[in-house]
Amino acid sequence: LAENRILAGSKSTGLNQELLRGVVGGEFRAVARLITLVENDPAAAIAYLRELFPHTGRCFAIGVTGAPGAGKSTLVDALASSFRSQGGKVGIVAVDPTSPFSGGAILGDRIRMQSRTTDSGTFIRSMATRGHLGGLSRATADVIQVLDAAGFDVAIIETVGVGQDEVEIVRTAHATIVLLVPGMGDDIQTMKAGIMEIGDVFVINKSDRPGAERIEAELDALLSMSNRPDNWTPLVVRTVASEGLGVPECMNAIRAYRGFLESSCFQANRVLQIQKERLLELVKSRVMGDLASAPEFGTRLEDLARLVAERKLDPFSAADLLTERSCRIPPSREG
Ligand SMILES: Nc1nc2c(ncn2[C@@H]2O[C@H](COP(=O)(O)OP(=O)(O)OP(=O)(O)O)[C@@H](O)[C@H]2O)c(=O)[nH]1
Ligand SMILES: [Mg+2]
């Protein structure tokens, strides 16, 4: 870990220039390799991301979220085809919601999106939710940056909308699509407020099923009450993604929101917000990394936790001790 930090801190030493050139040149293999580095060794990836930063800033990132099985992959596939037919290069990142019980989602997505894998303008990648050292939203932001540097016009991030993690993932995107399906009409009230608030475009997929009108009415009612700080009124689109129905309308809605972003003074705000959250993620993982790499951190954590468990120390003082001691090296000996 310490070695990685040194590598990351020292400017462009020991960087694989061929890898960098490959990414900037848009080579899929290089892009895949760097994303693997971002996933497995975020600290080491920093040096590359730093070099790539000047090549970024053009990619439009779209987050797609919704309940398991809502049709996200099917819609993403259809959207990717539309962007492709307009000549754009598309990168798709499926943030895999695999529970400990099933390893099926990655494979399933690969199979469902197979129509795109042979297309040289579409890059598809799955990321596992577990095992991310630097936090998943940071990993997602880093991956978007890699795609951006590689010249992708659009990046689409698919994630199952269940928790705070997912809300943060889609916050790394410029536009967020929330998928709903008929038959969950009652649930719309109880849906996580966070998910409702992040939707710039709402898609009612599986509109071939009964109940599409009802969920649309409920959604409209809910959205009419919301007042977003940017005054954008989220658009609602009905789709049957598996048949391609409503996909052009969904594209139009995305275009409308993008146009709004580009014309509105809130655009700078959104970009600022994205960068603020990204910076916070970076600082968080850096501070945590520093703490955890301090000598005997594990032992001290355990000792202090035991003291708290035995009620000999309150957790706040324990946290003070843990952070102070780890930050101030060498530890004070006079006490
Ligand atoms: N009837 C109907 N089925 C659909 C529609 N869109 C997708 N499906 C089907 O719904 C199933 C799930 O679709 P996916 O695209 O894999 O859904 P997902 O949200 O990506 O699923 P996870 O990634 O596993 O959460 C597939 O069998 C699709 O063919 C639709 O509009 N109508
Ligand atoms: Mg999927």
Side-chain angles (χ1 to χ4, degrees):
L1 245 158
E3 213 176 282
N4 287 339
R5 198 164 314 110
I6 291 163
L7 176 70
S10 62
K11 206 171 181 297
S12 63
T13 44
L15 287 187
N16 181 338
Q17 295 298 331
E18 200 187 315
L19 179 59
L20 278 173
R21 271 196 301 276
V23 171
V24 174
E27 287 167 26
F28 281 20
R29 282 183 63 166
V31 171
R33 271 184 67 195
L34 189 52
I35 291 178
T36 301
L37 189 69
V38 162
E39 282 194 286
N40 297 342
D41 195 348
I46 286 175
Y48 289 92
L49 294 170
R50 208 195 297 265
E51 291 292 308
L52 289 174
F53 186 75
H55 300 275
T56 62
R58 277 160 302 165
C59 180
F60 191 70
I62 303 168
V64 177
T65 190
K72 298 178 294 294
S73 298
T74 312
L75 181 73
V76 167
D77 196 19
L79 292 176
S81 295
S82 297
F83 282 115
R84 281 299 294 144
S85 65
Q86 295 167 3
K89 258 175 80 178
V90 186
I92 299 170
V93 183
V95 180
D96 161 41
T98 318
S99 73
F101 306 106
S102 144
I106 292 181
L107 193 61
D109 276 341
R110 291 243 165 94
I111 290 167
R112 280 196 284 277
M113 291 192 196
Q114 220 165 29
S115 57
R116 309 257 62 75
T117 51
T118 47
D119 170 0
S120 65
T122 312
F123 175 90
I124 301 178
R125 175 67 178 234
S126 288
M127 290 207 310
T129 33
R130 282 162 296 144
H132 277 287
L133 303 166
L136 197 60
S137 55
R138 181 187 152 196
T140 312
D142 290 351
V143 168
I144 292 172
Q145 202 203 304
V146 174
L147 294 172
D148 195 347
F152 285 90
D153 303 287
V154 180
I156 309 180
I157 303 102
E158 175 192 331
T159 184
V160 167
V162 281
Q164 190 55 38
D165 253 10
E166 288 67 32
V167 170
E168 279 171 19
I169 290 166
V170 293
R171 277 204 181 127
T172 61
H174 297 101
T176 301
I177 300 177
V178 174
L179 255 79
L180 303 169
V181 289
M184 57 171 292
D186 295 331
D187 301 339
I188 207 170
Q189 312 294 344
T190 56
M191 247 182 102
K192 286 224 182 299
I195 296 282
M196 290 307 287
E197 276 160 22
I198 57 173
D200 304 309
V201 173
F202 285 87
V203 168
I204 299 169
N205 191 40
K206 306 199 181 183
S207 288
D208 50 331
R209 293 189 177 172
E213 294 85 7
R214 183 177 157 201
I215 195 171
E216 185 168 8
E218 292 200 26
L219 188 57
D220 283 341
L222 210 66
L223 291 175
S224 69
M225 288 187 298
S226 84
N227 52 342
R228 290 171 46 133
D230 62 358
N231 290 321
W232 168 254
T233 310
L235 297 169
V236 180
V237 183
R238 277 201 229 169
T239 60
V240 183
S242 50
E243 311 283 324
L245 296 176
V247 174
E249 287 77 6
C250 186
M251 287 291 285
N252 285 341
I254 295 168
R255 197 174 302 119
Y257 182 64
R258 189 176 186 172
F260 169 80
L261 273 184
E262 281 162 6
S263 68
S264 125
C265 58
F266 288 100
Q267 183 227 359
N269 226 333
R270 174 113 187 196
V271 174
L272 189 72
Q273 197 57 35
I274 289 171
Q275 293 311 332
K276 239 164 76 180
E277 300 211 7
R278 184 155 188 220
L279 262 178
L280 269 181
E281 279 299 323
L282 280 170
V283 170
K284 255 192 262 174
S285 60
R286 197 169 287 186
V287 170
M288 256 326 280
D290 283 348
L291 275 178
S293 66
E296 285 160 32
F297 177 82
T299 322
R300 277 205 312 280
L301 176 64
E302 184 131 355
D303 289 347
L304 289 165
R306 184 168 298 121
L307 286 175
V308 176
E310 291 168 355
R311 311 200 64 78
K312 290 176 181 157
L313 185 68
D314 69 273
F316 311 100
S317 311
D320 282 347
L321 283 169
L322 204 56
T323 45
E324 270 176 26
R325 282 250 206 129
S326 312
C327 290
R328 291 176 200 158
I329 297 170
S332 67
R333 290 198 185 118
E334 62 268 26

